[in-house]
Amino acid sequence: MELDKKIEAILFWKGEPMSIKKLSQILSVSEEEIKAAIENLKIKLEGRGISLMEKESEIMLVTSGEASELIQTLTKEELSKDLGKASLETLSIILYQGPVKRSEIDYIRGVNSQFILRNLLVRGLIEKISDPKDARTFVYKPSFELLAHLNVKSIEELPEYEAVRKDIESFKSAGVEEEKKTEALSDSESLENEIQEDSELKANEDSI
Amino acid sequence: MELDKKIEAILFWKGEPMSIKKLSQILSVSEEEIKAAIENLKIKLEGRGISLMEKESEIMLVTSGEASELIQTLTKEELSKDLGKASLETLSIILYQGPVKRSEIDYIRGVNSQFILRNLLVRGLIEKISDPKDARTFVYKPSFELLAHLNVKSIEELPEYEAVRKDIESFKSAGVEEEKKTEALSDSESLENEIQEDSELKANEDSI
Amino acid sequence: MSLDFTVKTPVFEGPLEVLLGMIEKRKLFINDIALSQVADDYISYVQSIQNERGFPIAEVAQFILVASTLLLIKSKSLLPTLTLTEEETQSVNDLELRLKIYQRLRNAAEHVAQRFGEDIMFAPLDRKNDVKVFAPDKDTNLPSLFASIQNALKNLPKKEFIPKAVVQKVISLEEMIGRLTTRISSNLRMSFTQFSGEHKGNRVHIIVSFLAMLELVKNGIIHVKQEKDFGDIEMETGEVGVPRYS
């Protein structure tokens, strides 16, 4: 794969400015080679909807100038749209359970919440912070603005706060009991099966 | 600004799947024009670091499969690359036979698929939507995430996609014909059949 | 909460998977001849899993349904004069069809296994250049959010019991096997004169042992029914795959 394509992929994926130095490290080539590839990429992007923006020694991909008006309209529209059932449900889980990991939200909802969380973040209804218990992952919590908007001074003031939390806890601990039961039974299962189960289990951790 | 450039800009900005219908509304052109522009965009993106994915009437921009290793070194997220046997079987049914009801999945697998489906939903590999033919029930179909994990830009790119669908159709229609034939023959089976079966009997004697 | 969540599904071979395995092991094509040849192996397998601790009862019922269809096929091959009812013929055709579909999809699954995770295309990361504006909608209020969490709680997965239809089928299966036993016994008496010559002893022997096998399967069905009468199904099916917390 040519260097300019690799740079294109990285910048598209990141959506943030990146330094030439950093790119040269990632791609294990000299900064001169990166610069040459950037010139190449600029040519390749002619006639495309995205362009390369350079600032000092940083570069990033942005939507082409003529599209900016369109994007503005879309942003406004997105912010004024109704949240919808799935978003409200996700928001309510974050409200009652937050700070909460995405895997936990997904587990309770039974579906993947990736795009919904993105939208709630953009609308300033929730915040994404590093998990204090594990810096590699994130947790979601209601934003201050949301709590103020709801006129809730502390989370415990939420309707039936204790009851809701207890219900969710008991759902989760029901899972724990099941787990124990299988462990007790596991000696009658073949070793091969167990290994398979185990790898399936691992695959699910945090990839959610 | 050409339509395909506008579409690329919007998709880049959005970073999520968008429907052709929505794009036609935003850009105030017909869906046919959008589709034609998508074809243009696909040509422009050939061999680039970015690919266009299509699924039913939605499209999305992603990093190209060639850049996979590169992006993997950058991502902090743990990737789900392992599939258990049951997941693999269920995903294959949804990929090659989807959209498909849970009862159909259970019928093909011969086992209860409730929990494996929930697991796949949580992992974001499949989607659950109301059955367009019957709003009371649901159907399952592949997600963009799943196709992206398989490095296919559209479901038709899956190896043997058409062949598998055709084969299964022919099994089903053969089954229907078989039924008709049996009804017609009812109990007046020909002598020839009986003789044949008699020789089968001999073949079976050893197997008991 | 720093724990991860997962739904764990027990791994065991399904009824069609086991059957297909037996057919493929003998390098046979899927048809009634092949099915009647593997019937004995399959029934011994079903007998063995019934005594296995931890094997979900709901799934055993599925195995017994398949076993019973194999019995029909085998009965017909032993006694060609035996006439199957429309429903029986239907279940024979149905089993063949399911096996063919299953086999085709299982082969296709090879492609999926080969490609999955090999060259992943990545969706872009969250776009951080969005200006964050606090933008609630008309439903962003306590009553709506409370209703939403209530709904989410209501939709939490519950243990699933054996669908009534399966239980009923298993019960009527017992009757079916009872009837089949009677039909074969009387057919055997009627056909006795047909069995002439050197094969006579052999054939009677085959059919008698077949009748014994029918009894065994019938016992298996009763076993499943009892599980239900003792109210154990609920517990047993819990193992089909209740969400786990790890």
Side-chain angles (χ1 to χ4, degrees):
Chain A
M1 199 178 191
E2 293 97 323
L3 207 48
D4 67 283
K5 292 178 184 172
K6 288 185 182 169
I7 296 173
E8 186 182 22
I10 293 174
L11 293 177
F12 163 78
W13 180 71
K14 267 276 193 187
E16 276 178 42
M18 279 193 91
S19 71
I20 288 166
K21 195 176 158 194
K22 178 86 185 168
L23 283 169
S24 108
Q25 281 167 0
I26 293 170
L27 296 164
S28 324
V29 295
S30 71
E31 292 188 24
E32 280 60 47
E33 283 172 278
I34 296 286
K35 281 176 193 161
I38 288 172
E39 289 311 309
N40 235 338
L41 180 57
K42 271 196 231 167
I43 297 165
K44 294 274 166 61
L45 288 176
E46 269 164 33
R48 297 265 305 272
I50 49 178
S51 15
L52 198 72
M53 198 170 85
E54 287 177 281
K55 209 177 105 215
E56 287 153 57
S57 60
E58 285 195 317
I59 52 168
M60 92 183 271
L61 278 180
V62 292
T63 56
S64 297
E66 299 157 80
S68 62
E69 214 175 302
L70 200 60
I71 304 291
Q72 265 183 355
T73 324
L74 280 175
T75 311
K76 253 185 230 156
E77 191 193 289
E78 216 165 61
L79 293 176
S80 59
K81 214 169 53 182
D82 278 348
L83 284 172
K85 204 177 145 218
S87 293
L88 273 178
E89 184 181 282
T90 310
L91 188 58
S92 73
I93 291 169
I94 294 168
L95 196 59
Y96 278 84
Q97 281 289 110
V100 56
K101 284 170 80 164
R102 192 179 123 202
S103 55
E104 198 179 352
I105 300 169
D106 290 347
Y107 179 74
I108 293 169
R109 296 190 59 225
V111 286
N112 195 279
S113 308
Q114 188 190 355
F115 294 139
I116 287 175
L117 287 171
R118 199 183 271 196
N119 186 247
L120 292 175
L121 278 169
V122 169
R123 294 181 73 146
L125 298 168
I126 58 169
E127 280 173 44
K128 180 180 176 181
I129 55 165
S130 273
D131 186 351
K133 286 173 202 139
D134 179 1
R136 289 166 308 169
T137 57
F138 295 100
V139 284
Y140 297 87
K141 60 175 200 177
S143 68
F144 289 113
E145 290 92 337
L146 176 66
L147 294 177
H149 177 78
L150 297 174
N151 197 18
V152 171
K153 278 184 255 354
S154 85
I155 290 289
E156 288 79 14
E157 286 176 21
L158 291 171
E160 294 191 39
Y161 178 75
E162 286 303 329
V164 169
R165 283 193 74 103
K166 230 167 92 183
D167 277 359
I168 295 177
E169 276 316 309
S170 75
F171 166 64
K172 291 191 301 199
S173 56
V176 176
E177 268 163 40
E178 281 303 327
E179 185 88 351
K180 281 189 193 138
K181 201 165 131 195
T182 346
E183 271 164 35
L185 281 169
S186 66
D187 50 2
S188 64
E189 284 167 19
S190 79
L191 188 65
E192 197 191 336
N193 276 359
E194 280 217 72
I195 291 164
Q196 264 186 322
E197 272 183 74
D198 216 50
S199 67
E200 228 173 305
L201 187 67
K202 274 204 207 92
N204 290 327
E205 281 176 20
D206 226 350
S207 66
I208 294 165
Chain B
M1 194 179 188
E2 294 100 319
L3 203 49
D4 65 270
K5 289 163 83 176
K6 288 184 187 167
I7 293 172
E8 188 181 18
I10 293 171
L11 291 176
F12 170 80
W13 164 79
K14 182 84 174 162
E16 283 177 30
M18 280 195 89
S19 73
I20 289 171
K21 197 177 157 194
K22 177 81 188 172
L23 285 167
S24 114
Q25 283 167 3
I26 295 170
L27 297 165
S28 319
V29 295
S30 72
E31 292 188 22
E32 279 61 45
E33 285 171 278
I34 297 284
K35 281 176 194 161
I38 289 172
E39 291 308 311
N40 265 336
L41 181 56
K42 269 200 252 174
I43 294 166
K44 285 190 182 173
L45 290 179
E46 252 166 48
R48 300 299 316 162
I50 306 174
S51 297
L52 184 86
M53 288 182 73
E54 289 175 282
K55 192 169 73 71
E56 284 156 272
S57 57
E58 285 191 316
I59 54 171
M60 176 181 192
L61 283 181
V62 289
T63 62
S64 69
E66 262 188 296
S68 174
E69 247 177 87
L70 178 62
I71 304 294
Q72 274 182 55
T73 59
L74 299 177
T75 182
K76 283 184 206 111
E77 237 180 295
E78 225 175 287
L79 298 167
S80 62
K81 287 184 176 180
D82 296 311
L83 287 178
K85 208 163 125 197
S87 299
L88 179 64
E89 202 173 279
T90 310
L91 284 180
S92 302
I93 293 170
I94 294 170
L95 280 163
Y96 286 91
Q97 288 287 279
V100 57
K101 279 191 255 183
R102 191 187 128 198
S103 58
E104 291 169 302
I105 297 168
D106 288 351
Y107 176 80
I108 295 170
R109 296 189 61 222
V111 289
N112 185 317
S113 306
Q114 185 192 14
F115 288 100
I116 199 84
L117 286 170
R118 190 172 201 273
N119 189 349
L120 295 171
L121 280 168
V122 169
R123 284 174 77 174
L125 295 174
I126 58 169
E127 288 167 20
K128 178 181 171 181
I129 56 157
S130 276
D131 186 352
K133 287 172 210 143
D134 178 4
R136 287 164 308 170
T137 59
F138 295 100
V139 285
Y140 296 87
K141 57 181 198 177
S143 68
F144 273 103
E145 179 88 4
L146 176 56
L147 298 184
H149 266 76
L150 297 168
N151 191 18
V152 293
K153 291 194 277 294
S154 71
I155 192 139
E156 290 80 11
E157 278 185 14
L158 262 183
E160 285 199 285
Y161 179 74
E162 287 302 333
V164 171
R165 284 186 92 92
K166 232 168 88 183
D167 283 352
I168 290 176
E169 269 321 302
S170 77
F171 296 153
K172 284 182 183 165
S173 54
V176 173
E177 265 165 44
E178 186 65 37
E179 247 170 73
K180 280 185 198 147
K181 217 169 75 191
T182 333
E183 273 167 41
L185 276 169
S186 65
D187 47 7
S188 66
E189 285 180 74
S190 71
L191 187 66
E192 202 187 326
N193 272 358
E194 282 210 63
I195 292 164
Q196 259 192 333
E197 278 175 88
D198 215 48
S199 63
E200 268 167 44
L201 183 65
K202 270 185 210 130
N204 286 329
E205 283 174 4
D206 292 6
S207 69
I208 294 175
Chain C
M1 287 312 317
S2 65
L3 291 158
D4 292 300
F5 295 88
T6 179
V7 179
K8 197 167 155 187
T9 317
V11 178
F12 60 88
E13 296 203 312
L16 293 180
E17 194 178 358
V18 170
L19 182 55
L20 188 61
M22 288 172 176
I23 292 171
E24 286 178 343
K25 207 170 140 198
R26 296 186 186 207
K27 299 195 168 64
L28 299 170
F29 291 109
I30 299 167
N31 55 35
D32 49 353
I33 303 169
L35 289 173
S36 79
Q37 282 183 31
V38 298
D40 296 5
D41 284 355
Y42 195 83
I43 285 154
S44 345
Y45 180 84
V46 176
Q47 296 293 328
S48 74
I49 58 167
Q50 279 181 51
N51 304 321
E52 209 174 291
R53 277 172 71 224
F55 205 94
I57 279 294
E59 308 301 340
V60 175
Q62 296 293 341
F63 276 94
I64 290 180
L65 282 173
V66 171
S68 79
T69 308
L70 293 177
L71 285 175
L72 283 174
I73 296 166
K74 178 125 188 171
S75 314
K76 182 74 181 163
S77 80
L78 287 174
L79 289 162
T81 48
L82 190 75
T83 315
L84 300 185
T85 67
E86 206 176 295
E87 205 189 332
E88 287 166 346
T89 312
Q90 172 74 44
S91 66
V92 170
N93 293 340
D94 206 46
L95 182 61
E96 269 183 46
L97 174 63
R98 285 173 73 184
L99 268 179
K100 281 180 184 162
I101 296 175
Y102 182 74
Q103 187 182 43
R104 189 69 185 95
L105 285 167
R106 216 194 43 180
N107 293 342
E110 297 284 322
H111 299 303
V112 179
Q114 265 174 27
R115 298 186 74 105
F116 190 84
E118 273 303 303
D119 290 307
I120 305 174
M121 302 191 281
F122 289 88
L125 294 178
D126 288 9
R127 296 305 189 211
K128 288 182 187 124
N129 51 344
D130 286 312
V131 203
K132 272 176 197 139
V133 192
F134 181 64
D137 76 341
K138 60 174 171 33
D139 285 322
T140 316
N141 54 52
L142 281 179
S144 290
L145 286 166
F146 181 60
S148 288
I149 193 92
Q150 293 288 77
N151 195 49
L153 291 174
K154 205 182 76 203
N155 289 329
L156 290 177
K158 287 156 199 80
K159 293 180 184 182
E160 193 171 82
F161 311 123
I162 295 188
K164 265 214 177 97
V166 173
V167 177
Q168 264 167 10
K169 253 193 197 162
V170 172
I171 293 168
S172 71
L173 199 66
E174 186 197 344
E175 286 167 23
M176 188 273 272
I177 291 183
R179 266 185 287 134
L180 197 58
T181 312
T182 321
R183 272 155 68 195
I184 291 171
S185 309
S186 62
N187 218 301
L188 180 60
R189 251 173 269 124
M190 276 162 49
S191 318
F192 229 92
T193 47
Q194 289 175 10
F195 301 144
S196 55
E198 58 206 294
H199 281 299
K200 184 178 173 178
N202 256 339
R203 286 206 187 180
V204 174
H205 176 72
I206 292 162
I207 296 170
V208 168
S209 43
F210 182 66
L211 285 171
M213 194 164 71
L214 282 182
E215 276 309 309
L216 278 175
V217 178
K218 201 167 150 187
N219 288 340
I221 291 160
I222 291 165
H223 173 71
V224 172
K225 258 178 71 184
Q226 277 172 342
E227 291 286 349
K228 189 200 167 249
D229 291 341
F230 294 137
D232 271 345
I233 282 174
E234 195 179 310
M235 268 178 55
E236 292 278 329
T237 49
E239 281 161 32
V240 176
V242 159
R244 304 275 153 73
Y245 177 83
S246 65

